[in-house]
Amino acid sequence: KNEVEQSPQNLTAQEGEFITINCSYSVGISALHWLQQHPGGGIVSLFMLSSGKKKHGRLIATINIQEKHSSLHITASHPRDSAVYICAAQAGAAGNKLTFGGGTRVLVKP
Amino acid sequence: DTGVSQNPRHKITKRGQNVTFRCDPISEHNRLYWYRQTLGQGPEFLTYFQNEAQLEKSRLLSDRFSAERPKGSFSTLEIQRTEQGDSAMYLCASSLVEGTQYFGPGTRLTVL
């Protein structure tokens, strides 16, 4: 079993729909990251959170430390949101290295 | 553009050749990380530096791999005697000790 599991692996939505991506982790963490990767490889950090909820534009990330679970929500999805979304667990010790989930490939159709 | 640069962006090499990649982090960042990502998978940790000290290496980093950060600024990752299984995207990230990691665009390696 991977230390960080994401679901679903793939997701197709119509423009305007609400999207939820889930992440469960089995390791102790100091923070949980949500990252976005577009075709071509570049990774952009969306959120780093250790408790509660963060919001940036149409993106919302939540984390439940007790249940070791995080979600990324995209409201009013748009075709430009099409990308791979990756959650990553940051170790408290060991230099803050990241352990990544396998990613969720999101396609938003116009 | 996150401010982290990697060169080259693409490298095609024949099996058995040596390759070297370079990462230039954000200048004030004292931590530098290398990750590897194969097609359709999430990235995997390879190694990290704090300033010039290499503090941890993954079991994925066989003895054919070596990384350096000689002056605590840029870093190089060398792969000797490349194998087809080394084909992947090699990602570099930098951060302050307690900060968000900023990723470079990656170097895509293809071993023929």
Side-chain angles (χ1 to χ4, degrees):
Chain A
K1 188 177 189 300
N2 291 334
E3 293 178 323
V4 181
E5 299 268 1
Q6 281 185 243
S7 63
Q9 286 186 308
N10 295 282
L11 186 158
T12 300
Q14 288 297 132
E15 183 173 356
E17 287 184 343
F18 183 84
I19 290 172
T20 295
I21 303 168
N22 294 301
C23 176
S24 297
Y25 54 93
S26 59
V27 296
I29 67 167
S30 61
L32 191 289
H33 296 250
W34 282 101
L35 309 159
Q36 181 191 57
Q37 186 172 33
H38 280 284
I43 291 179
V44 174
S45 179
L46 299 175
F47 295 104
M48 181 172 79
L49 64 164
S50 54
S51 66
K53 176 179 173 178
K54 286 190 176 180
K55 184 175 189 293
H56 181 70
R58 294 179 296 104
L59 302 178
I60 303 167
T62 64
I63 189 168
N64 184 319
I65 296 293
Q66 287 74 29
E67 297 195 358
K68 294 188 174 179
H69 181 269
S70 177
S71 294
L72 177 69
H73 306 285
I74 306 175
T75 63
S77 59
H78 190 276
R80 65 174 173 267
D81 297 326
S82 298
V84 176
Y85 293 83
I86 304 172
C87 72
Q90 176 176 308
N96 291 338
K97 70 178 183 185
L98 299 179
T99 303
F100 295 82
T104 296
R105 187 174 299 276
V106 171
L107 174 63
V108 182
K109 295 184 176 180
Chain B
D1 183 358
T2 63
V4 179
S5 62
Q6 291 186 247
N7 288 287
R9 295 291 306 277
H10 303 273
K11 178 72 177 178
I12 299 173
T13 191
K14 292 183 179 179
R15 190 175 53 187
Q17 298 294 304
N18 298 344
V19 294
T20 299
F21 311 140
R22 176 176 169 130
C23 172
D24 287 89
I26 294 171
S27 59
E28 62 267 28
H29 285 181
N30 46 12
R31 284 209 174 145
L32 187 149
Y33 303 81
W34 285 99
Y35 298 95
R36 181 173 69 184
Q37 185 177 26
T38 53
L39 205 59
Q41 304 296 315
E44 297 171 295
F45 170 78
L46 292 178
T47 189
Y48 90 97
F49 293 84
Q50 181 155 317
N51 301 313
E52 65 275 10
Q54 186 174 18
L55 296 186
E56 185 175 348
K57 294 197 296 185
S58 163
R59 290 187 300 274
L60 294 174
L61 217 62
S62 76
D63 55 8
R64 296 184 298 105
F65 288 71
S66 62
E68 294 183 341
R69 193 181 184 199
K71 297 182 180 179
S73 56
F74 73 91
S75 176
T76 58
L77 177 67
E78 181 182 16
I79 309 173
Q80 296 183 326
R81 305 183 303 282
T82 52
E83 301 173 356
Q84 287 186 324
D86 297 331
S87 295
M89 175 77 83
Y90 289 85
L91 294 161
C92 171
S94 72
S95 75
L96 297 171
V97 171
E98 295 298 331
T100 297
Q101 292 184 28
Y102 292 85
F103 285 82
T107 294
R108 184 172 295 283
L109 173 66
T110 301
V111 182
L112 302 175

